[in-house]
Amino acid sequence: GGGREPRAGPRIAAEEPEAVVALRAIAANLDRWPEGWAGAPAPGPWVVIEHDRRAELPERVGTLACTRAARYGTTVLSFYRRVR
């Protein structure tokens, strides 16, 4: 179709506790991101946090909820999406 390509957001690679700190900062500032990102149709952008498998990230932070976690060896990618 003639749809617009989504813009890539910031990538954060962090270990506990930085992963949780980064996730909270992203959730707190989600509405400040450029138009086309936070202004995207609901549910909005994906936030992907790369972290050590031993780090326990919260299921929900602000308006972000974890929808999936994929483990790759000792690394986990946690996928968050805005919920209303």
Side-chain angles (χ1 to χ4, degrees), residues 21-34 38 63-64 82:
V21 171
L23 185 57
R24 287 194 178 119
I26 290 168
N29 291 289
L30 198 58
D31 290 330
R32 296 180 183 181
W33 290 5
T63 60
L64 293 175
R82 178 183 270 178

Side-chain angles (χ1 to χ4, degrees), residues 6-12 33 37 46:
R7 287 193 273 185
R11 180 176 183 271
I12 299 171
W33 290 5
W37 237 93
W46 286 98

Side-chain angles (χ1 to χ4, degrees), residues 28-82:
N29 291 289
L30 198 58
D31 290 330
R32 296 180 183 181
W33 290 5
E35 184 63 34
W37 237 93
W46 286 98
V47 175
V48 182
I49 303 290
E50 178 181 336
H51 58 93
D52 186 274
R53 68 179 172 87
R54 296 169 294 191
E56 292 186 30
L57 271 61
E59 290 294 316
R60 188 163 176 168
V61 176
T63 60
L64 293 175
C66 185
T67 60
R68 178 175 167 236
R71 183 174 167 186
Y72 302 95
T74 61
T75 300
V76 175
L77 297 179
S78 292
F79 296 81
Y80 286 81
R81 207 81 203 253
R82 178 183 270 178

